Amino acid sequence: MNNLVHYPRYSIYLIPSKNLFDNLNSFYTKNNFDSGNISQNTHEIYCTVKAPFYKSDIYSENDLIDNFNSLKKKDSIQKILNKTYIAKQYIKLNTNFVLELDNDPEFNFIIHDIMRSFDIYRKTFNTSEIKKDLLRFNNLSEKELIYYQIWGYPYYFECSIHHISFFNFDTKLYNCNFDSVEYESLKLLKQESSDEYFKELANIT
C-alpha cells in the first residue's frame, strides 16, 4: 500500500471445512498435477467477512479480540457454520479468480452485520491517505466508491457475491468440481507485515 500505514492489519474470514482442502489434494493427486500451488495455509482460502483493515488507535487489540469473542453468544454464527452452500462456478471477480457459491440472503445479512459492527475498529484515512489507498483498485463504480468511503472497502453488499477466494489461484482448478462448501470456523486474523501470512488471533467453531 505504498507505505500508507504501518502494519499490522486485521481481517475477519470464514474458513472452509477440511473437506474442501481434502478435495483439492485428491484432485491434484488423481490428475498427477503438481500440488505445489495448493496453499497449506488455510487462511489463504477463505470467504471475506471483513476485508483487511488497519486498527484505529482509539482501541486496543484486546478490545478487538474481546468483541470478536462475544460473537460466540450469537446463534446467527452457528447458522452460517452449520449450513451447506452450493458451489456454482469459477469466475473472475474484480481482479481475482474465485469460486462462486449460491446466493443466500440469510448468510448475506449475517456477514454484513458482522462487517458493520467491526467497522468502529478501522482506522479512517485523511484525504492524502485515501488517494494512495485507492490506487489498490481499478475503475470503481459510483456505488463501489461510495462503499469505499463509508466502509474502507468497495466490494461489499451488492458489489460482491458469496464466494471463496483462492490466494494464488491455479488455473487447473477450473477442472475441479465442488458440489458444495461448508465453513469450519469464523476467524479474526492479524498480519504483522506485508511479507507475512495472516495469523489467527481468535476463532469461533
Side-chain angles (χ1 to χ4, degrees), residues 145-157:
L145 184 57
I146 290 172
Y147 284 160
Y148 173 86
Q149 293 169 336
I150 298 173
W151 306 110
Y153 187 71
Y155 307 123
Y156 286 130
F157 307 108

Side-chain angles (χ1 to χ4, degrees), residues 34 75 98 138 168 184:
D34 178 8
D75 294 337
V98 304
N138 295 317
N168 291 330
E184 180 178 86

